[in-house]
Amino acid sequence: MSNRQRKDNSRSQRVGDLLIEFVSRLLSGTLNDSRVRAVTLTAVDVRPDLKHARIYFTVRDGESQKEEALLGLRGATGFIRGRIAADLKLRFVPAIEFVYDEASDQARRIEDLLDAVGPKE
């Protein structure tokens, strides 16, 4: 990996960390949409050019509230980008895409299957 690629990756990682922290604070304090109250942000992928960010989330109530939470997040995307532009010192405000994080549901299903099998004796 070249120094340029390493620099781009570390920059996108820093921007991702900043975005997830900032958006988490917005969701917990500023937004008054009940659909996003149970949302937890789990990860973020920012493209090396910093123009697109994919933010992964889960919902406390599980998959049953996934669609409502996604609608709420999509509806708030413009507001979130506006706040990022106003509050953070970024050269570009990335386009934001919210994606439900299936990993936690898959882990829960695996745990349920293991519990059903029970301990081997």
Side-chain angles (χ1 to χ4, degrees):
M1 183 182 297
S2 71
N3 285 338
R4 174 91 174 137
Q5 288 174 320
R6 238 177 279 142
K7 184 177 179 182
D8 287 346
N9 287 340
S10 65
R11 182 182 300 149
S12 64
Q13 176 133 16
R14 285 192 314 268
V15 169
D17 292 345
L18 185 64
L19 286 175
I20 203 164
E21 179 182 332
F22 185 79
V23 174
S24 291
R25 277 191 274 131
L26 283 179
L27 293 179
S28 66
T30 305
L31 288 175
N32 291 322
D33 189 338
S34 62
R35 298 175 295 181
V36 300
R37 282 204 174 92
V39 166
T40 300
L41 303 182
T42 58
V44 63
D45 287 329
V46 179
R47 286 194 189 150
D49 65 4
L50 307 178
K51 293 186 178 180
H52 186 269
R54 182 175 285 159
I55 300 176
Y56 295 89
F57 72 94
T58 60
V59 183
R60 201 173 319 133
D61 299 331
E63 207 167 319
S64 64
Q65 297 297 315
K66 171 175 86 170
E67 292 303 320
E68 285 296 313
L70 188 55
L71 287 173
L73 290 167
R74 285 182 179 160
T77 300
F79 172 77
I80 291 169
R81 288 190 76 223
R83 289 296 301 267
I84 290 168
D87 295 354
L88 301 180
K89 305 293 186 234
L90 297 176
R91 182 176 293 162
F92 302 107
V93 177
I96 296 174
E97 175 187 7
F98 288 99
V99 178
Y100 185 74
D101 189 349
E102 302 283 343
S104 63
D105 289 341
Q106 290 172 348
R108 195 173 310 122
R109 280 191 284 273
I110 290 170
E111 286 178 10
D112 290 345
L113 288 171
L114 291 173
D115 287 344
V117 172
K120 282 190 171 183
E121 292 183 27

